[in-house]
Amino acid sequence: MRPVTRFVLLLGWLGYAIIPWYLPDGMSLTEFGWLAGYPFGKAGSALALALSGTAPWLLPIGALLVLATLQLGRSNAASVGRILIGAGLAGLALFFAQGFAITLKGQGLPTLAALLGGGGADTAQGGMGFGAFLTVLSLLLLLCHGLAYRGICRGDIFTTSSIGIIVLLIGLFIFYPVITILRSALVDQAGAFAPAAFFERLFSASIWGLGCVTANTNCGVAWNTLILAVLTGVTTTLLGLACALLILRTGMPGKRVMRLLTVLPIITPPFVIGLALILLFGRSGLFSNLLYEWFAIPRSRWIYGLPGILLAQVLAFAPIAFLVLIGVVQGISPSLEEASQTLGAKRWATFSTVTWPLLKPGIANAFLLGFVESMADFGNPLVLGGNFEVLSTKIFFAVVGAAHNQGQAAVLAFVLLAFTLGAFWIQRRWLGGKSYTTVTGKGDSGLPTPLPRRVTWLAGLVIVPWVSLTAVIYLVILVGGFVKTMGRDYTPTLEHYKTGFSIDFSRGLYFDGSAWNSFFTTIKLAAISAPLTAIIGLLTAYLLTRQRFSGRHLLEFATMLSFAIPGTVLGVSYILAFNVPPIEITGTGLILVITFVFRNMPVGVRSGIAGLSQIDKSLDEASTTLRARSFTTLWRVVLPLLRPALVAALIYSFVRSMTAVSAVIFLVSAEYNLSTAYIVGRVEAGEFGLAIAYSSVLIVFMAAGIGLIQLGVGERKLGRRVAAPVAATPAPAPAIG
Amino acid sequence: MAKAGPASVEFRNVSMRYGSVTAVDNVNFTIEAGKLVTLLGPSGCGKTTTLRMIAGLEIASEGQILIGGKDVTKLSAADRDVSMVFQSYALFPHMSVLENAAYGPTVKGLGKEVAREMAMAKLALVGLKGFENRYPSELSGGQQQRVAVARALVLEPQVLLFDEPLSNLDAKLRRRVREEIRELQQNLNLTVAYVTHDQEEALAVSDRIIVMSNSRIAQEGSPRDLYERPANAFVADFIGDANLIDVTIKSVADGQASVAIGPATVPLPSRELQPGPAKVAIRPESLLLSKVQDASVLPGTIRKCAYLGNHLDIVVDTPVGDLFVIQHGHPEMLEQGAPVWLSFAKSGVTLIPPA
């Protein structure tokens, strides 16, 4: 048995014999009152509880740990492997069986509970805690190590363990909640199985109606969502591409400003853009007023509906496309373009035959991101929707509205999922099996080709209005916090900031502003979840692209599924799934961190896959033949070359955590309130000034945070020659302000 | 660090399948310790897959692979004492030359100083002293190749693998580098498996050559064996130039066959063939222009004659078809249409089984 397996066993025993098995109420790391009665009682360890007869169903799990421990001294890899696989599998099965069979009184699976020694429907146990977590982790790793001992994945423990952990996490925090909510699609309000009701809901006219074509009514909510998502996807991709090309391939002035401007919308909570658009273009908006006074153009409500939502979404999501595409444009080896030019191709021919096809995977990814973001967006349709309903808002109102119809929400989620999965399938078809490796092991040399003039003009033409509108919007947001009431009373004031962020120095340092609590909570949780998201996302991308194992396509499908679940659905499903044992974590900060991680993981996966597909596989192989194991290869070769992807993943998950609304609005509690939920509350209460002031504080803070991350990770060293001053590109600007 | 020294490599009935495609089909061979063995063949013949199976980058679907007598069939690349020089060199673009070369000992945990020393020694060996702090992109193709070799050598592996190491170099450099590789292999007493599709390169560097065709081994032997005694038409044609002619074996006695090549009758080693139809492979330099006219020569007329400095390329029209002849030394040019008689040299004329 290898040392690392011994360590895993030690973890298992820690979790089983020492650390409290359940998650008791009132647990904290500073006061230990909740530990009363240890090792028995609510905070008891599994070993004590099992032996004392309180929870006899935990005993077999311990027996399996003993079985694994008996292998300590043995060195025959194959037979130790077989026993570890057996013990791990049986342990996991028993663990989950008891977890789901024995929950609250009268719930769970009574027959299975009796079989495990639980004594029928009366037995109950609380939510699993840290002891249980360590034990299940240890059992899983024992299984994975056993598989590696048997030669699975070329005997690489790191690979099998990573796969195991990611499969478990995705299973617990993606599949289990989704199954929970889809289950409620198939039952009626009373909880009985009702497939007829399901089909009736699924094909109802409110979802698929074509009223806007045939008659003068509204179209079905599915069509609305689809049209909006396609428009948003196409527009954001084009904008992002234009911007990436202009920044990297031309001598355009004001590049730094461009970078700053394109990043601003990402660090803005999405509904804030909607809000600013209303303040600008609404019936009493700034522009509407001007147009009315100067040209007598009547005020209208055009901003409420498809045009408004589209505008807000494009402003909000184009920077994401930009971040994806700038990495891809950077990764295109200049020597390929130089090759094309030496073959007699003019700039335009080079662009259309070499550069463009190489950009295709990035473009597909960017479109997919825009498409799915639009479908999942909840803030903007909420603020700007008017009569234009989309799936996400409809799901939200089905759950929290007067109807409280979980079945309806589940059916709508089903439709949404079909759309996003469809988008993914189309993308795969388009890309096919082409190879896009452009960073090879041979040191790249050459200078990037400047853009053809036509493309430069086109790109510039698209970008200028976007940039100016963005500038105006941020002006409104920044100024809005310093005036009494936007649109009516422009008297300067600091009142809004005082309410939210005053600090009282009279009694030491006391943060007595009303916003501080949610602000600190948000920062803490976002800072915890960003690195976790990046690690899990990039690790998944690495496994998917660089390792061959059976079930790889299933894993890919699973990560894609997590991508496809809109925040509203995820939030509701987490409430349903994690409000009762075996995993009872609603109301804690943990559930928010988990939500952030699994909401943002797909971004890490996507940027990781895009980055990895540009790194020649022979680099990995060279590292392997020099005796580096998978982990070392990942750490020393792949990760340094993946820095742009890492930056994107870190920035994006940090910022998304801070600006997330849709998923967390169900999950915040009094103790763990988040900035966005607080701001939405202010908007509902009509305190626009405070809402906008808080938003600008968030924006400034996130800009600073991004700057720090950027500094910490640094730029990718590709060893390319820096272009001579004459050849258009001056020294590369730091990526993001 | 205990040096393991060179080790032998043995393949026992090894096959590699990807789905329904068989890349390597039931292959057996042994590479002796301290020898340089070339896997030679046209692209797609399975030679690179074979090399990657030695490295452990592909795990064989069937059969056994032994390195130094130890079964490594299921062992991962990181667990085998084998290094590889990649066709693309696969230098880590974000590391300097020194960091690239020191990568092996560094990830093995040998400590920065030791790793640096080992890397410096091997860099000096390949003549790259003074380039330690450059990045791969700042080196020429030949220099990058040397870094790749140094990096593979640093751990002093039991087996060193080369995957078409010269394919990215220009011709002059190719000749020099292949000599350097051979010298290095002999001086350091390394076991080397070398993949190439260039028969001249293979002949120049190898102790033994394994010729592969269609996922199988077509012939294995020393360069001289393969050139002078090809086992079949594929090998005869692939290694060097050969005139392949349909012939008839008239009789066999004491291992000598009497062979009818057109109107001529020639005694040749029978190579266990029986009387009947066969083929003969004749090297162009083994056809001699003869003055004598008897039953052992083949009459013909000159079709083409080209002057190439140190030799003449001649095409002769004969009763068995056009034959390609090379005349070394400084003979006179021959007139087109002139009658000639071709006799057969003692070596370079080989009977092979009919296709």
Side-chain angles (χ1 to χ4, degrees):
Chain A
M1 198 183 269
R2 295 192 208 167
V4 62
T5 315
R6 292 188 193 145
F7 176 72
V8 164
L9 259 179
L10 182 72
L11 274 188
W13 279 116
L14 259 180
Y16 187 75
I18 295 177
I19 296 175
W21 181 262
Y22 297 110
L23 196 67
D25 292 331
M27 209 195 81
S28 93
L29 287 178
T30 44
E31 292 167 54
F32 296 95
W34 55 276
L35 267 174
Y38 181 85
F40 304 101
K42 282 196 163 174
S45 75
L47 186 64
L49 293 172
L51 290 177
S52 67
T54 319
W57 52 85
L58 297 178
L59 208 52
I61 299 174
L64 288 165
L65 279 177
V66 171
L67 176 64
T69 313
L70 288 177
Q71 313 303 315
L72 264 180
R74 299 183 54 196
S75 58
N76 180 348
S79 86
V80 170
R82 199 174 313 125
I83 291 170
L84 288 184
I85 293 172
L89 266 183
L92 287 175
L94 277 172
F95 182 89
F96 286 111
Q98 61 88 17
F100 286 104
I102 305 166
T103 57
L104 298 177
K105 273 197 178 105
Q107 290 187 19
L109 313 161
T111 18
L112 187 55
L115 207 65
L116 290 163
D122 272 353
T123 354
Q125 62 179 345
M128 297 295 143
F130 289 103
F133 168 74
L134 275 188
T135 308
V136 78
L137 183 71
S138 165
L139 288 169
L140 176 76
L141 290 178
L142 287 178
L143 167 65
C144 295
H145 287 202
L147 289 171
Y149 285 174
R150 301 283 296 165
I152 307 287
C153 290
R154 297 173 188 169
D156 197 289
I157 285 183
F158 173 75
T159 307
T160 54
S161 303
S162 309
I163 294 170
I165 287 175
I166 283 175
V167 166
L168 180 76
L169 286 176
I170 288 178
L172 272 186
F173 296 114
I174 305 282
F175 272 100
Y176 173 54
V178 166
I179 288 167
T180 310
I181 199 166
L182 286 184
R183 201 177 54 196
S184 51
L186 287 167
V187 299
D188 58 19
Q189 297 283 45
F193 181 62
F198 169 71
F199 283 111
E200 193 185 312
R201 287 199 202 110
L202 181 59
F203 295 110
S204 86
S206 71
I207 299 182
W208 297 105
L210 283 169
C212 56
V213 183
T214 53
N216 198 15
T217 56
N218 285 329
C219 261
V221 64
W223 295 119
N224 285 350
T225 313
L226 194 62
I227 291 164
L228 176 66
V230 169
L231 287 176
T232 305
V234 170
T235 320
T236 53
T237 307
L238 288 179
L239 274 175
L241 179 66
C243 197
L245 285 174
L246 272 194
I247 281 199
L248 290 174
R249 295 294 173 91
T250 70
M252 190 184 68
K255 272 181 194 167
R256 278 160 190 271
V257 181
M258 273 293 294
R259 283 188 189 260
L260 194 70
L261 271 183
T262 54
V263 173
L264 273 175
I266 310 182
I267 59 180
T268 313
F271 56 87
V272 175
I273 292 183
L275 212 64
L277 283 179
I278 292 178
L279 292 177
L280 283 173
F281 301 107
R283 275 179 66 86
S284 59
L286 195 63
F287 275 99
S288 308
N289 281 339
L290 290 181
L291 287 177
Y292 178 69
E293 281 162 23
W294 294 354
F295 306 108
I297 295 172
R299 303 163 196 270
S300 78
R301 294 178 54 84
W302 68 271
I303 195 79
Y304 298 99
L306 179 64
I309 304 176
L310 179 61
L311 191 58
Q313 288 189 341
V314 166
L315 288 170
F317 305 137
I320 300 164
F322 168 70
L323 273 183
V324 169
L325 287 166
I326 199 163
V328 177
V329 174
Q330 247 170 349
I332 292 177
S333 166
S335 60
L336 292 174
E337 290 169 323
E338 287 177 339
S340 164
Q341 285 177 316
T342 56
L343 292 168
K346 297 269 187 302
R347 275 192 193 185
W348 172 250
T350 300
F351 181 81
S352 61
T353 56
V354 177
T355 319
W356 173 252
L358 287 172
L359 284 173
K360 266 163 89 177
I363 287 172
N365 278 333
F367 173 78
L368 198 70
L369 272 173
F371 183 86
V372 176
E373 284 291 347
S374 163
M375 288 212 151
D377 183 25
F378 164 76
N380 287 312
L382 192 69
V383 177
L384 288 168
N387 290 330
F388 188 81
E389 276 190 314
V390 294
L391 285 166
S392 63
T393 48
K394 194 143 177 154
I395 291 168
F396 177 70
F397 288 122
V399 174
V400 303
H404 193 68
N405 189 343
Q406 278 176 17
Q408 174 72 6
V411 170
L412 292 166
F414 183 78
V415 175
L416 198 44
L417 215 58
F419 281 153
T420 44
L421 293 185
F424 183 81
W425 181 75
I426 290 168
Q427 182 222 26
R428 292 299 294 261
R429 284 276 308 235
W430 185 37
L431 290 180
K434 293 170 196 157
S435 165
Y436 292 97
T437 302
T438 59
V439 178
T440 59
K442 285 176 84 178
D444 266 313
S445 298
L447 303 172
T449 319
L451 279 185
R453 204 164 298 264
R454 267 184 271 184
V455 177
T456 311
W457 279 107
L458 201 66
L461 214 65
V462 175
I463 285 175
V464 170
W466 172 31
V467 174
S468 11
L469 185 56
T470 309
V472 172
I473 280 182
Y474 280 88
L475 204 67
V476 167
I477 294 171
L478 287 178
V479 171
F482 291 101
V483 300
K484 276 218 150 121
T485 317
M486 275 296 285
R488 262 174 281 162
D489 185 353
Y490 290 98
T491 324
T493 174
L494 279 175
E495 177 198 327
H496 304 308
Y497 284 90
K498 270 192 190 143
T499 321
F501 296 98
S502 68
I503 300 172
D504 189 351
F505 291 103
S506 60
R507 291 166 287 165
L509 192 64
Y510 185 73
F511 298 95
D512 66 349
S514 60
W516 283 118
N517 178 27
S518 58
F519 185 65
F520 287 139
T521 310
T522 308
I523 291 169
K524 193 170 75 186
L525 297 180
I528 294 172
S529 62
L532 286 178
T533 312
I535 291 169
I536 295 178
L538 293 184
L539 189 63
T540 310
Y542 174 76
L543 292 177
L544 288 179
T545 54
R546 289 301 213 260
Q547 300 288 350
R548 266 176 278 160
F549 51 95
S550 45
R552 193 169 61 88
H553 291 288
L554 207 65
L555 183 62
E556 189 166 16
F557 174 78
T559 54
M560 188 242 310
L561 188 68
S562 70
F563 191 12
I565 304 169
T568 35
V569 178
L570 197 77
V572 174
S573 71
Y574 270 30
I575 279 248
L576 292 176
F578 300 132
N579 204 24
V580 288
I583 307 173
E584 191 183 0
I585 49 175
T586 47
T588 62
L590 185 62
I591 197 170
L592 292 171
V593 170
I594 292 173
T595 313
F596 290 154
V597 169
F598 288 93
R599 276 288 284 145
N600 300 330
M601 184 183 78
V603 184
V605 177
R606 288 272 141 230
S607 56
I609 287 179
L612 279 167
S613 71
Q614 300 221 333
I615 300 174
D616 192 353
K617 219 175 165 175
S618 70
L619 292 177
D620 296 32
E621 291 175 346
S623 173
T624 311
T625 59
L626 292 166
R627 319 284 182 278
R629 307 210 156 266
S630 295
F631 177 75
T632 316
T633 303
L634 194 63
W635 181 249
R636 285 181 178 267
V637 176
V638 178
L639 214 54
L641 293 172
L642 263 186
R643 274 189 182 166
L646 186 67
V647 173
L650 275 177
I651 290 179
Y652 197 62
S653 58
F654 178 76
V655 165
R656 283 252 316 206
S657 305
M658 294 211 50
T659 58
V661 188
S662 54
V664 295
I665 206 155
F666 303 95
L667 300 170
V668 292
S669 53
E671 190 184 349
Y672 291 99
N673 198 5
L674 296 179
S675 301
T676 47
Y678 181 84
I679 296 174
V680 168
R682 294 310 96 210
V683 173
E684 279 172 353
E687 298 174 39
F688 288 100
L690 178 54
I692 284 217
Y694 197 166
S695 303
S696 16
V697 169
L698 274 188
I699 289 166
V700 169
F701 178 81
M702 283 185 280
I706 285 174
L708 278 179
I709 292 181
Q710 188 74 33
L711 275 180
V713 179
E715 288 238 329
R716 174 166 57 165
K717 235 192 257 170
L718 272 186
R720 267 185 204 152
R721 275 183 293 149
V722 176
V726 201
T729 332
I736 284 150
Chain B
M1 195 180 77
K3 228 187 89 178
S8 62
V9 176
E10 194 181 343
F11 269 47
R12 288 184 191 160
N13 306 326
V14 173
S15 296
M16 183 73 208
R17 295 197 181 82
Y18 304 101
S20 61
V21 182
T22 304
V24 172
D25 190 6
N26 196 23
V27 161
N28 287 285
F29 65 80
T30 305
I31 300 175
E32 282 172 56
K35 298 284 183 208
L36 193 157
V37 173
T38 303
L39 295 163
L40 175 67
S43 55
C45 71
K47 57 188 192 298
T48 296
T49 308
T50 306
L51 193 77
R52 289 169 62 84
M53 284 195 285
I54 302 179
L57 294 171
E58 311 274 348
I59 300 292
S61 324
E62 268 167 45
Q64 245 188 330
I65 299 171
L66 294 94
I67 295 179
K70 215 178 105 215
D71 189 339
V72 297
T73 316
K74 297 281 177 205
L75 230 49
S76 79
D79 294 317
R80 298 187 190 184
D81 196 6
V82 174
S83 289
M84 182 154 164
V85 176
F86 288 80
Q87 183 172 14
S88 65
Y89 311 148
L91 297 179
F92 306 128
H94 59 298
M95 297 183 193
S96 69
V97 167
L98 182 65
E99 287 167 325
N100 262 289
Y103 185 82
T106 310
V107 301
K108 218 175 163 187
L110 290 182
K112 245 188 177 159
E113 273 313 303
V114 183
R116 194 189 135 84
E117 258 168 50
M118 292 169 75
M120 289 299 276
K122 293 300 188 253
L123 284 173
L125 196 68
V126 299
L128 278 179
K129 217 167 189 173
F131 289 84
E132 303 88 48
N133 295 322
R134 301 251 192 122
Y135 279 85
S137 58
E138 299 165 331
L139 299 178
S140 71
Q143 288 167 333
Q144 290 182 19
Q145 212 262 353
R146 284 153 194 259
V147 178
V149 172
R151 186 178 69 179
L153 278 176
V154 166
L155 286 178
E156 310 197 341
Q158 287 181 303
V159 182
L160 184 59
L161 309 176
F162 285 91
D163 185 11
E164 308 227 9
L166 309 183
S167 58
N168 287 321
L169 301 177
D170 63 67
K172 272 253 168 72
L173 207 54
R174 237 179 251 192
R175 199 187 191 98
R176 212 176 77 200
V177 173
R178 86 182 180 210
E179 280 162 16
E180 285 173 1
I181 289 176
R182 178 62 163 163
E183 231 169 83
L184 212 59
Q185 181 262 330
Q186 287 178 329
N187 292 344
L188 301 180
N189 189 27
L190 301 167
T191 306
V192 170
Y194 188 109
V195 159
T196 181
H197 62 262
D198 182 340
Q199 45 96 13
E200 190 191 315
E201 194 179 317
L203 291 173
V205 299
S206 317
D207 289 307
R208 291 177 77 74
I209 297 175
I210 296 169
V211 183
M212 293 190 70
S213 163
N214 290 327
S215 318
R216 290 165 181 275
I217 292 180
Q219 191 180 355
E220 189 191 334
S222 69
R224 184 170 280 262
D225 274 347
L226 294 183
Y227 190 78
E228 292 180 358
R229 286 175 292 281
N232 49 48
F234 174 81
V235 175
D237 196 39
F238 192 76
I239 297 188
D241 288 314
N243 296 294
L244 287 171
I245 306 168
D246 290 315
V247 295
T248 314
I249 302 177
K250 292 202 284 196
S251 64
V252 179
D254 294 339
Q256 282 293 111
S258 171
V259 181
I261 305 176
T265 303
V266 185
L268 288 173
S270 71
R271 306 186 78 202
E272 289 162 23
L273 293 174
Q274 296 307 312
K279 270 185 192 270
V280 68
I282 310 171
R283 299 295 175 194
E285 67 276 10
S286 295
L287 285 168
L288 310 171
L289 298 186
S290 168
K291 296 273 187 280
V292 195
Q293 300 176 40
D294 60 17
S296 69
V297 301
L298 201 57
T301 53
I302 302 288
R303 274 173 73 94
K304 279 181 211 160
C305 180
Y307 176 70
L308 279 112
N310 61 352
H311 69 268
L312 295 180
D313 272 7
I314 306 163
V315 179
V316 180
D317 188 8
T318 71
V320 292
D322 282 357
L323 296 183
F324 177 46
V325 181
I326 289 178
Q327 283 265 292
H328 282 284
H330 299 278
E332 292 294 311
M333 287 290 282
L334 294 161
E335 288 291 322
Q336 196 174 341
V340 286
W341 291 267
L342 297 172
S343 68
F344 303 91
K346 291 268 179 282
S347 68
V349 184
T350 319
L351 272 178
I352 52 180

